[in-house]
Amino acid sequence: MAIATITPVTDTLDCSAGESTSFQFTVSNTSGGRLRIGVEVSADGDVGPWLTVAEPIERDLDDQAADTVSVAVNVPEDSAAGKYTFRLRVYKASG
């Protein structure tokens, strides 16, 4: 059973080499009760260091509540043009 749904605010993001922007997701608690979640971002290849989840990494969500998670994207100057993908993972945090 999934504890949350993750919905991107938009499907694509345009950012050129040397630029920074952010990508937002709506995370909704579908666990049936209050939940402490953690979020992390991952990507294939050299893209991982470009990405940072905005604080807080862990947060409390009431049942059926939603919150916005922002991922900062900092594209290095020497990056090749192209399509890059990343994933947001939501997990049940301890505590």
Side-chain angles (χ1 to χ4, degrees):
M1 179 174 112
I3 61 168
T5 58
I6 305 169
T7 308
V9 173
T10 184
D11 290 333
T12 60
L13 178 69
D14 292 323
C15 190
S16 298
E19 293 183 347
S20 298
T21 190
S22 63
F23 198 92
Q24 283 75 38
F25 296 88
T26 301
V27 177
S28 302
N29 177 357
T30 58
S31 70
R34 185 171 172 80
L35 182 65
R36 181 157 187 85
I37 62 164
V39 291
E40 64 184 16
V41 64
S42 64
D44 296 329
D46 297 331
V47 178
W50 303 2
L51 309 168
T52 307
V53 176
E55 298 288 336
I57 301 298
E58 293 185 0
R59 56 192 79 197
D60 295 311
L61 284 178
D62 290 327
D63 185 33
Q64 302 303 314
D67 198 6
T68 300
V69 175
S70 183
V71 175
V73 181
N74 298 296
V75 182
E77 288 282 343
D78 59 352
S79 299
K83 180 179 179 181
Y84 298 92
T85 59
F86 64 92
R87 294 164 296 287
L88 185 73
R89 177 178 168 259
V90 174
Y91 58 91
K92 185 175 181 180
S94 59

